[in-house]
Amino acid sequence: MPKNSSLPPFNPQRVYIEEGVQDLPFTQEVLSRLKPHETEIIKHSREIRVPAEMSWGKKGLLLARFKPDETLKEFEAMSQSLARSVYSLNVISNCHLECTYCILQSYLENNPIITFYVNREEIIKKLADQLDRIPRGSVVGTGQLADSLALEGLTQWNQHLIPFFAEQDRVFLELKTKSADVEPLLDLKHKGQTVVSWSMSTEKVQEEEEYKTASIPERIEAMTRCQKAGYPVGIHFDPIIHHVGWEKNYRRLVEQIFHAVDAENVAWISIGGLRFPTRQVKAMRDRFPKNRKIFTNLVSTNKRFMYYPDRLRESLYNRLRSYLKPHFPEEKTYLSMEAELSGQADKSAS
Ligand code: SF4
């Protein structure tokens, strides 16, 4: 982890290495950056991909081989919302930060251990083949099953991905994060093909529900640093969380952002209300027994998701749009959850 990190270090208690990847350069790089730890070679990652407690998963690390056949997966609901094709590239799975509402608590319930896919050369080769075949203007994101930057100090994945995307002009890479550790990105050749995006909450929500993440002022500062380095940035007001004083707090958040950030260079803004699968409620209650306010006003009329009722959602969206209007063109703002609620359950984590 870099010094002066905005995030706590990730020091896994136990490292599992899938047989066959021990000698890959990426594996050796990661091991050399870790503090002393117990290591175990396992025959197949399936041995530890079982229903397990999320808190256990967040304290371990698995170095495994990614099947290159599955490199890119289309996120249909996100594609619908953004009106361009969106794909996920999951080079990391799970995250050591602790947002109480994190959707990975249910999406990764059978596979919670933090995993780095270490067959980097193979993944990048396959990616090169696939990028030629997806529509021009598509977005490939690494923030669906992990925070794109939270473990950069260990993986350095973006040191490879950003220059790789800079070599073509058809598809954008989107990094989605709640970290502020952008230093390693600033001198990379990116040619505007990487959008660095932040998930933004009010300071109250960050303090009460997004443990271990960078503070809101730190995220805004990181955004300005990336803009100065020429990166387009993205902003995700997602999830918007209803709380006492939400109108004042979201207004202030928008003002803080646009006081510092150049709106001209913001690629897109998304807005989405808090939601998570109904089956996740138990994990949230067990893991964060004191955080009961998060459930206020949520309903589950479709039985699959907990979400705010239509009128409250509409009010949250309209209010946020009205705060954004003086600063940012409405046509570059999209709703990120409505397609999900209408039946397609994909969602970004970070
Ligand atoms: S919401 Fe994002 S930053 Fe928070 S724990 Fe989940 S993956 Fe990590």
Side-chain angles (χ1 to χ4, degrees), residues 235-253:
I235 302 171
H236 298 284
F237 295 103
D238 186 4
I240 302 174
I241 297 183
H242 185 261
H243 58 278
V244 175
W246 69 272
E247 289 166 293
K248 179 172 61 72
N249 294 343
Y250 277 106
R251 183 198 289 271
R252 185 176 131 75
L253 173 64

Side-chain angles (χ1 to χ4, degrees), residues 58 95 97-99 101-102 104 146-147 178 213 349-350:
K58 282 174 176 265
C95 164
L97 310 182
E98 288 282 18
C99 303
Y101 53 79
C102 179
L104 300 182
D147 181 290
K178 290 191 181 98
T213 63
S350 210

Side-chain angles (χ1 to χ4, degrees), residues 270-285:
S270 77
I271 298 178
L274 175 66
R275 72 281 189 194
F276 44 81
T278 309
R279 70 177 197 280
Q280 183 172 301
V281 171
K282 185 177 180 317
M284 292 170 68
R285 290 207 161 120

